[in-house]
Amino acid sequence: MSTSASPQATSPQARSRRRIKLRASDVTGIAGLVVICLLVLAAIFAPQLTNFDPELVDFNKFLQPPGTDGHILGTDTLGRDVLTRIVFGSRITLIVGFLSVVFSGLFGCTLGLVAGYFGGWLDVLITRITDIQLSFPFILLALTIGALFGDGLWNVTLSLAIAGWPVYVRVVRGGVLSIKERDFTTAARGLGSGSGRILLRHILPNIVGSIVVVATLQVSQFVIAEATVSFLGFGVQPPTPAWGTMLSEGRTYLYVAWWVTVFPGVALVLTALSMNLIGDWLRDRLDPTLQN
């Protein structure tokens, strides 16, 4: 009698422990999501969060330390409020990061679906082009493309998108190859479904989890890449506030005015780290092989 009651008595406790464990494993992902949400809100409501103009030059406030005259994070080499420029610079970071992922994802996923499903010479051609582009360093390729298009927000976004699409081809093509011969796709094909319907209704929903994870992780890559391009002078040009430009402007004064470089760098690190944490979290949640 006692042995039969024991599993019933312990199973709710076991389920409770599993729920607690899942919550604990989600802490870092939720923390990253909170940081990104706060960054998005700061970018949207930037004018309401600060009383300073991010582009207003005031040489009387040259390199003032944090906390001086209401400048919480100090001022830069031209007397501009550092906090204000970080908040407004988050707009550049989010626009470039997310739009680059959207453009590169749409293009790369389309090519991956075509290459994996149809195969043949299309698969060989797309795969070889992808391999050739992957042989070039990402930043170098983005700088080269950016030099052809010129500087500016939209040109930087486009250059990063062109440099970043091959990773989606690899992921999507591999997923299509593993799914297109399964029973449900074979049945759909036997019932007369066209290639487009099979790709969109049967194959794509089964690989969308992998695409979301790759896209999330690539946002952090593009955020760093945009800052790198701007740091080197090929991205968003002054006086428009951008984190990479702020790092470049403050590097000469690093030993006497550390706040000009450190605070934009911290914002950049937190943003990239938060996106990586969200990507790892989504991978754990969407990959059934990682579920306990």
Side-chain angles (χ1 to χ4, degrees):
M1 188 73 177
S2 60
T3 56
S4 61
S6 177
Q8 297 178 357
T10 58
S11 58
Q13 297 176 359
R15 288 195 296 269
S16 177
R17 284 195 297 268
R18 283 197 295 270
R19 287 195 295 269
I20 294 174
K21 183 179 180 181
L22 285 174
R23 294 193 193 102
S25 65
D26 293 342
V27 169
T28 55
I30 295 175
L33 185 61
V34 169
V35 172
I36 296 301
C37 289
L38 291 176
L39 185 65
V40 171
L41 291 175
I44 295 174
F45 299 103
Q48 287 75 36
L49 295 178
T50 177
N51 297 323
F52 298 101
D53 187 336
E55 300 180 8
L56 180 63
V57 176
D58 187 354
F59 291 107
N60 294 323
K61 297 182 178 181
F62 172 78
L63 293 180
Q64 292 188 350
T68 305
D69 294 335
H71 298 284
I72 299 176
L73 301 184
T75 61
D76 65 2
T77 57
L78 297 178
R80 299 169 297 192
D81 184 66
V82 172
L83 176 60
T84 300
R85 289 181 62 78
I86 290 176
V87 172
F88 277 87
S90 64
R91 293 180 168 183
I92 303 296
T93 299
L94 294 175
I95 290 174
V96 174
F98 285 99
L99 286 185
S100 298
V101 167
V102 170
F103 294 153
S104 62
L106 289 175
F107 184 69
C109 289
T110 301
L111 292 182
L113 288 171
V114 171
Y117 186 79
F118 294 102
W121 66 270
L122 273 176
D123 184 21
V124 174
L125 178 62
I126 294 173
T127 303
R128 294 292 81 80
I129 295 175
T130 302
D131 292 338
I132 292 172
Q133 182 160 332
L134 286 174
S135 65
F136 290 93
F138 175 78
I139 292 296
L140 179 60
L141 183 61
L143 287 173
T144 304
I145 298 173
L148 296 175
F149 288 114
D151 51 39
L153 174 63
W154 298 111
N155 289 334
V156 171
T157 302
L158 184 60
S159 64
L160 292 177
I162 294 175
W165 62 265
V167 63
Y168 293 97
V169 175
R170 285 287 185 87
V171 172
V172 173
R173 177 180 177 272
V176 173
L177 290 175
S178 65
I179 293 175
K180 71 175 184 177
E181 298 301 333
R182 292 188 180 179
D183 293 340
F184 62 90
T185 55
T186 304
R189 196 177 299 113
L191 291 173
S193 297
S195 299
R197 181 178 178 85
I198 293 175
L199 284 171
L200 297 178
R201 295 292 300 273
H202 300 285
I203 294 180
L204 185 59
N206 285 281
I207 60 176
V208 69
S210 299
I211 296 174
V212 170
V213 172
V214 172
T216 306
L217 295 174
Q218 200 176 44
V219 171
S220 65
Q221 181 186 17
F222 284 162
V223 165
I224 298 295
E226 183 276 325
T228 302
V229 171
S230 297
F231 181 86
L232 296 174
F234 293 93
V236 179
Q237 298 298 307
T240 303
W243 293 349
T245 305
M246 296 175 67
L247 292 173
S248 179
E249 293 172 346
R251 59 180 174 173
T252 306
Y253 303 90
L254 184 60
Y255 294 104
V256 296
W258 55 268
W259 56 89
V260 179
T261 303
V262 169
F263 289 127
V266 170
L268 182 63
V269 170
L270 284 178
T271 302
L273 177 61
S274 298
M275 292 307 306
N276 283 331
L277 292 176
I278 294 173
D280 291 338
W281 179 40
L282 291 175
R283 182 195 61 190
D284 294 341
R285 301 290 292 181
L286 297 176
D287 190 347
T289 62
L290 298 177
Q291 299 295 328
N292 294 326

